[in-house]
Amino acid sequence: MKKILKLSLVCAVLFATSNAFAIDGNDNLNVHVLKGNGKVITFALNQVKKANVAIYDKNGELIYSESASGKEGILRTFSLEQFPEGKYYLEVEDSTKKVKHEIIVTDETSVLSSKAVSTIYKAGSAKNTSVAVR
């Protein structure tokens, strides 16, 4: 039974990995939320080679951080089994912007919002913009 469960999990991860990079995303740092499974969340960053990924609690305390990289994008899966119920935030930052997504953890599931709660562009990263100063 354990072998079947492990094999199923490996197949699910391989399937998610193969589909993650098929999502069209020309804009930098689009967080594509893939289906969650219980208290496991998965997301992909297409065409992003380096990014900082962090998880914060509702009070802004850092719980987890890493510097992620990939050749054609980044795929990450997190198990939130040990997280108590509540609201958390996934923050992803690359060289041009920082986006924050909400994570809701309940007894049974964890849900990562597909829309960003906030987006902060870094200086000099805006495309085709003009600012007039008087």
Side-chain angles (χ1 to χ4, degrees), residues 53-117:
V53 177
I55 297 177
Y56 294 90
D57 68 8
K58 66 180 178 182
N59 299 322
E61 296 290 325
L62 179 65
I63 296 173
Y64 173 82
S65 71
E66 75 169 292
S67 182
S69 62
K71 267 187 168 178
E72 296 178 16
I74 298 169
L75 177 69
R76 284 292 178 267
T77 299
F78 293 107
S79 173
L80 306 178
E81 291 287 330
Q82 301 300 317
F83 283 43
E85 281 190 16
K87 189 182 293 188
Y88 299 88
Y89 295 96
L90 170 71
E91 192 173 88
V92 182
E93 178 179 3
D94 72 355
S95 60
T96 60
K97 67 181 175 179
K98 182 190 305 187
V99 295
K100 187 185 281 190
H101 289 260
E102 186 178 71
I103 304 169
I104 302 294
V105 177
T106 65
D107 270 344
E108 309 275 324
T109 62
S110 297
V111 178
L112 174 62
S113 67
S114 58
K115 287 197 167 209
V117 173

